Amino acid sequence: MPLPRLSRAGLRRALPVLDWASRYNRDTATSDLVAALIVTIMLIPQSLAYALLAGLPPEMGLYASILPLVAYAIFGTSRALAVGPVAVVSLMTAAAIGELGLTDPAQIALAAGTLAFLSGAILLAMGVLKLGFLANFLSHPVIAGFITASGILIAASQLKHILGVSAEGHTLLDTLLALARDLPQTNLITLGIGVASVAFLFWVRRGLKPLLRRLGLGARAADILAKAGPVAAVAVTTLAVWGLGLHDRGVAIVGTVPTGLPPLTPPSADPALWRQLLLPALLISVIGFVESVSVAQTLAAKKRQRIVPDQELIGLGASNVAAALTGGYPVTGGFARSVVNYDAGAETPAAGAFTAVGILLAALLLTPLLYFLPKATLAATIIVAVLSLVDFSILKRSWTYSRLDFAAVLATIVTTLLVGVEIGVSAGVVLSIFLHLYKTSKPHVAEVGLVPGTHHFRNIKRHKVDTLPGVLTLRVDESLYFANARFLEEYILNRVAECRDLRHVVLMFPAVNEVDMSALETLEEVNRRLSDMQISLHLTEVKGPVMDRLKRSHFLHDLTGRVFLSQYDAWCALQPGAAPGAKQEGLAAQ
């Protein structure tokens, strides 16, 4: 029996795969397979490198790039987003696990899987409860500052692998001091491999594709070969270490990487571990969601597609749970990888599922070839990838546009670099909320007058306007709530004290979308104080939802003046000699 239409629509919303799969065809599959090939080539070395960054065995990077991609293909709504390990989340994972003080590799891996499980559970809960709006508490300046600082921290943390030393540190200062202390123990062969790999990868990013195009290679083939640059670096340096026996001369290598399917890894049942990882999991969830949705929305807009943020929470949550249960660690949508997926022609999330098959084949067949892979090469891959995240221009732009936003950016960068990633992003969130409260606690209030020959009212300090004797008109340019209600009261009463022969105060509310209980009580107090002075209080241009709320209070009944539909109506009614109108007429106009 066919499903009811409503249930079928609901099922498609819950499982977006049912929507795009019903229209899947051979041409779409071809595009997805080509995109998957390119992303797989790019993702193999990245997965290994990001696991190294997270302080985890390299195979966990591969495991985190298999089933999570399939889960997102089923539940996600973006056609181009490529899910997997990313630099910032890997850094946050390393910081979270580092705080636990674990030394047993098995316990570290279990903690990473538990962190992914908690992150997935948080994302799923947010999706079910439609709490995607909570990510809005992370302002763009804070995100930009955090990602820039994270890029610097990540690059600095990988210098130890380039130098072949064991310097450790959770902050930039700690890392630099440790590097300086261990600098005399630098392994020159490792340094040569690392520097050569960094130089080669930078050249591949900028120069290889144009060179191949000049040599007559097609655009698609040139793009695939350019994306294979990290694979070439891995292959060449691995052969060099193996052929020249460089591991016997102090070059650190990856070593044994298990071959086979991802293992079944249930999360830890230790309540104490869950409590320790809960806050890091929450931060990873929110940061990962913001980064992922930003990329997904940008790419969707290019093809006039749309994503559903709350469903994205479900998709990312399912991906993280899948990572936790199959030997992985927290994942999200990556910027660079998603752009590559989009540019390579991915048409549906099936490209991610095909990529998962490619990574699975690598885990089954290629891992024995990675034994002699030098860690310096993986570190070079990370450094080249994350330096593109560093954007100091945000400081200049924010300084020019808003000093408060500049303060948020700078504070986030400095705190992240000097204290750590978790405190850095937490400080950024708290500062963003504080700055919002500070800015809205002093709303812009303008005294306005009529522009001659029009029905428009503008700020008397900016325009040549007409005003009425005995009438003070103030335009409130912010919603009214507990943080700014007292400011408005003091502003009105101070302004009234400066005016002689005042008979009317008019409050324009075109920008007021909300009046909470504190603000309502303030308006009632202002009305009483003005009434004692024989001054009438009027409202104009009150929005419908605000008016509905005011009607449920005693304020309108006690209002000494009228509520006008437009400011021009108030102008005409309050002119000297104008016939007085009943308050009920003004209310009826609403």
Side-chain angles (χ1 to χ4, degrees):
M1 186 174 72
L3 290 171
R5 182 174 301 176
L6 184 60
S7 298
R8 187 178 300 171
L11 193 59
R12 284 178 179 267
R13 285 194 298 270
L15 296 172
V17 62
L18 298 177
D19 182 35
W20 58 262
S22 63
R23 299 187 297 273
Y24 208 67
N25 55 47
R26 181 176 298 178
D27 292 339
T28 305
T30 301
S31 298
D32 286 344
L33 282 168
V34 172
L37 173 63
I38 296 175
V39 174
T40 300
I41 292 172
M42 178 183 184
L43 188 54
I44 291 173
Q46 272 195 358
S47 298
L48 300 169
Y50 288 149
L52 179 71
L53 171 60
L56 302 170
E59 64 270 15
M60 291 189 70
L62 293 176
Y63 298 157
S65 304
I66 300 175
L67 198 59
L69 279 70
V70 177
Y72 183 82
I74 296 172
F75 295 101
T77 60
S78 171
R79 302 297 178 94
L81 191 70
V83 172
V86 300
V88 172
V89 170
S90 297
L91 176 65
M92 297 179 73
T93 299
I97 295 177
E99 293 294 325
L100 301 177
L102 301 175
T103 56
D104 181 9
Q107 291 298 315
I108 291 174
L110 179 61
T114 304
L115 185 63
F117 183 82
L118 286 174
S119 178
I122 290 170
L123 288 165
L124 287 171
M126 291 174 65
V128 170
L129 299 174
K130 301 188 182 302
L131 298 179
F133 70 90
L134 292 177
N136 296 334
F137 287 109
L138 279 172
S139 67
H140 174 71
V142 167
I143 288 292
F146 176 70
I147 290 178
T148 292
S150 297
I152 297 171
L153 272 180
I154 292 168
S157 71
Q158 296 308 296
L159 291 178
K160 64 181 181 182
H161 298 296
I162 300 293
L163 298 173
V165 298
S166 57
E168 298 290 344
H170 294 296
T171 68
L172 182 62
L173 185 59
D174 290 343
T175 301
L176 294 179
L177 289 175
L179 287 170
R181 183 185 63 245
D182 294 346
L183 194 60
Q185 283 77 49
T186 298
N187 185 295
L188 295 180
I189 299 176
T190 300
L191 178 61
I193 293 174
V195 171
S197 297
V198 169
F200 172 74
L201 292 173
F202 269 121
W203 175 76
V204 164
R205 280 202 162 205
R206 297 178 179 272
L208 182 57
K209 185 175 180 179
L211 175 62
L212 294 174
R213 293 288 288 146
R214 287 196 298 270
L215 294 177
L217 207 62
R220 180 61 63 89
D223 192 51
I224 293 176
L225 289 176
K227 297 298 186 298
V231 176
V234 166
V236 170
T237 55
T238 301
L239 287 173
V241 171
W242 170 72
L244 300 176
L246 299 181
H247 61 292
D248 295 326
R249 301 173 65 181
V251 175
I253 59 175
V254 168
T256 301
V257 178
T259 299
L261 296 172
L264 181 62
T265 53
S268 171
D270 182 4
L273 180 62
W274 282 47
R275 286 194 299 270
Q276 288 176 291
L277 293 178
L278 187 58
L279 178 59
L282 176 61
L283 293 176
I284 287 173
S285 300
V286 175
I287 291 289
F289 172 64
V290 171
E291 181 179 354
S292 180
V293 166
S294 298
V295 176
Q297 288 177 331
T298 300
L299 297 179
K302 292 183 178 181
K303 288 190 175 182
R304 296 188 178 182
Q305 297 169 348
R306 61 183 296 270
I307 66 167
V308 182
D310 288 324
Q311 184 62 35
E312 284 297 290
L313 286 166
I314 301 292
L316 292 175
S319 297
N320 276 279
V321 171
L325 298 178
T326 54
Y329 70 100
V331 298
T332 192
F335 176 76
R337 198 157 53 240
S338 297
V339 171
V340 169
N341 195 39
Y342 175 87
D343 290 340
E347 294 288 342
T348 72
F354 293 146
T355 300
V357 174
I359 301 297
L360 178 62
L361 292 175
L364 290 172
L365 304 175
L366 302 181
T367 50
L369 303 178
L370 301 174
Y371 183 88
F372 291 102
L373 171 60
K375 291 184 177 181
T377 302
L378 294 180
T381 301
I382 294 173
I383 290 172
V384 173
V386 300
L387 286 182
S388 63
L389 302 176
V390 178
D391 179 20
F392 285 115
S393 67
I394 187 66
L395 289 170
K396 180 180 178 181
R397 297 199 307 273
S398 59
W399 175 265
T400 302
Y401 186 76
S402 169
R403 302 297 165 84
L404 291 178
D405 285 335
F406 171 80
V409 174
L410 184 62
T412 304
I413 291 176
V414 172
T415 307
T416 302
L417 291 178
L418 298 184
V419 184
V421 292
E422 290 181 7
I423 295 179
V425 71
S426 300
V429 173
V430 172
L431 185 59
S432 292
I433 296 174
F434 172 78
L435 291 177
H436 171 74
L437 293 174
Y438 175 76
K439 287 186 289 188
T440 57
S441 69
K442 297 182 178 180
H444 181 258
V445 180
E447 183 176 348
V448 299
L450 179 66
V451 178
T454 74
H455 289 188
H456 300 295
F457 290 80
R458 294 293 184 268
N459 193 329
I460 64 172
K461 295 180 179 179
R462 294 176 178 269
H463 302 271
K464 293 182 178 180
V465 294
D466 296 332
T467 59
L468 293 176
V471 178
L472 174 65
T473 301
L474 301 175
R475 188 189 68 221
V476 183
D477 293 334
E478 185 70 61
S479 291
L480 299 178
Y481 70 118
F482 64 92
N484 61 20
R486 184 59 59 87
F487 173 86
L488 179 64
E489 178 182 0
E490 293 179 356
Y491 186 96
I492 294 172
L493 296 178
N494 288 338
R495 189 70 186 87
V496 167
E498 297 171 358
C499 300
R500 296 183 178 180
D501 302 324
L502 195 63
R503 296 179 292 108
H504 303 281
V505 171
V506 182
L507 296 182
M508 284 184 67
F509 275 12
V512 176
N513 298 311
E514 174 72 17
V515 176
D516 74 358
M517 282 291 294
S518 298
L520 176 64
E521 292 178 1
T522 296
L523 291 175
E524 291 172 343
E525 178 63 21
V526 168
N527 185 55
R528 284 193 294 268
R529 297 280 294 274
L530 293 180
S531 178
D532 293 341
M533 303 178 198
Q534 305 300 313
I535 299 174
S536 298
L537 176 65
H538 308 270
L539 303 182
T540 69
E541 303 187 9
V542 182
K543 292 186 175 180
V546 175
M547 194 66 186
D548 292 340
R549 298 280 291 275
L550 293 179
K551 286 180 178 178
R552 295 200 293 268
S553 71
H554 291 285
F555 173 69
L556 295 179
H557 182 268
D558 298 332
L559 185 66
T560 56
R562 298 167 57 188
V563 180
F564 295 95
L565 183 63
S566 71
Q567 179 59 34
Y568 189 74
D569 290 344
W571 171 275
C572 296
L574 300 179
Q575 289 191 62
K583 179 165 44 176
Q584 287 75 12
E585 294 176 359
L587 290 175
Q590 299 297 315

